[in-house]
Amino acid sequence: MKRVLVLSALLTAVFACSVSSNSVSTPPVDAGAPAEDAGIDSNGGGRQVGPGAPFKSYVILGDSISDRGGTGPFFYDLLADDLKTKLGDITVAKHSKAGARSSGLPDQVKSVPSELPGPVAVSVTIGGNDMQAAALEILNGTDAEARAAFQANLTAAYDELTKEGRFGAGVKVTIFHSTMYDPTDGEGNFGEAGCPGYLAAIPKQPTAAFWDNWNNAAAEVIAKYGLAVVTVDTRGKFQGHGVGKPKDGTSWFVEDCIHPNTYGHEELRKLFFGAIAP
């Protein structure tokens, strides 16, 4: 029982996406990633690159990664500026919410205006808080029901977003779905990384399988939509830049060992830009 409680604390800490650190620092700025940096789907889907449509609107949905989680400048603000620079003036609609689970994603979609200039690009970061809520089930290998609920919520949201005429007659929509990263690079090395508070006492153990199961669940949903939903492989991009890397300056996480730091948000910006406007 003690081991389960300790491991549950680990999952709760890792999967939480509701705490934000809003101090600001400035990294070197890249004008944007080329198409070849758009990401490789580590779940077997191959390279996933956006259609390069001349988007006129950008919609931001999801959890705290898309709502001031970590250290700014935040990727979605930087990305909006990039898209305006490359594509001209675009309409930006932010409806993400820190702490959101996938069950709240359909309501976020409903809150987006019924008409937007098209084509419309939608970025989505979601799922970390679902995993937090299902921590004990994940540890016991009994989280199939929770993953099925996650899939149902994604389907409800993506069905609505891709519905004919959702943003106006003939308006095309492309969803850019972020995979969920593992802040420990699969090592569970919070203690070795000097993470704060009780995180430092958590024993090191492999964590990759937890994210595999949930990202694969999302991939099963995404496959139903063809080119309408594009995988943005945040997990693959962040691998090797986890919480164990702060001393050499290559970590992309803030001191809470959960959210992206300034460099992490910069890399998210380049990753999404390479997918949306290659």
Side-chain angles (χ1 to χ4, degrees):
M1 177 62 70
K2 183 177 180 181
R3 180 174 180 273
V4 170
L5 290 175
V6 170
L7 291 176
S8 179
L10 177 145
L11 286 175
T12 300
V14 174
F15 301 144
C17 289
S18 59
V19 180
S20 297
S21 172
N22 294 318
S23 59
V24 176
S25 59
T26 305
V29 176
D30 188 325
E36 59 265 29
D37 289 336
I40 301 296
D41 183 352
S42 61
N43 296 307
R47 189 174 297 275
Q48 303 291 323
V49 180
F55 294 105
K56 299 298 183 184
S57 296
Y58 170 40
V59 176
I60 304 157
L61 301 177
D63 51 26
S64 61
I65 297 173
S66 296
D67 187 26
R68 302 187 64 79
T71 306
F74 304 106
F75 89 88
Y76 47 88
D77 290 328
L78 297 169
L79 178 58
D81 289 340
D82 287 342
L83 295 175
K84 290 176 182 178
T85 297
K86 182 166 184 177
L87 304 177
D89 192 33
I90 62 171
T91 298
V92 178
K94 182 180 177 298
H95 294 264
S96 51
K97 184 177 181 180
R101 299 182 189 177
S102 65
S103 58
L105 193 59
D107 284 339
Q108 289 186 24
V109 173
K110 290 177 183 177
S111 71
V112 180
S114 59
E115 293 189 5
L116 287 174
V120 176
V122 182
S123 68
V124 179
T125 61
I126 201 72
N129 292 310
D130 293 73
M131 294 181 73
Q132 174 189 349
L136 288 178
E137 290 88 348
I138 291 171
L139 287 168
N140 293 324
T142 59
D143 58 319
E145 184 176 347
R147 282 185 278 118
F150 174 55
Q151 291 180 311
N153 294 329
L154 286 182
T155 299
Y158 292 174
D159 279 353
E160 175 66 20
L161 281 170
T162 59
K163 182 173 64 178
E164 184 69 27
R166 170 60 180 84
F167 295 110
V171 174
K172 181 179 179 180
V173 179
T174 305
I175 302 164
F176 296 86
H177 173 101
S178 171
T179 59
M180 291 173 277
Y181 53 51
D182 178 348
T184 71
D185 296 329
E187 298 179 7
N189 58 342
F190 288 105
E192 290 181 358
C195 292
Y198 65 88
L199 289 176
I202 296 172
K204 184 177 180 180
Q205 88 249 243
T207 56
F210 303 144
W211 278 270
D212 287 342
N213 289 336
W214 283 73
N215 279 324
N216 285 338
E220 290 177 3
V221 173
I222 290 168
K224 303 174 184 178
Y225 295 91
L227 293 178
V229 183
V230 174
T231 298
V232 178
D233 188 24
T234 299
R235 182 184 177 187
K237 184 71 171 180
F238 273 60
Q239 186 68 23
H241 298 278
V243 297
K245 304 288 186 178
K247 292 182 180 179
D248 64 12
T250 61
S251 175
W252 293 349
F253 291 88
V254 295
E255 290 79 4
D256 68 8
C257 295
I258 297 169
H259 292 96
N261 62 17
T262 301
Y263 297 98
H265 274 291
E266 170 68 8
E267 294 300 326
L268 280 171
R269 165 222 161 219
K270 291 192 289 185
L271 186 63
F272 272 97
F273 183 70
I276 296 174

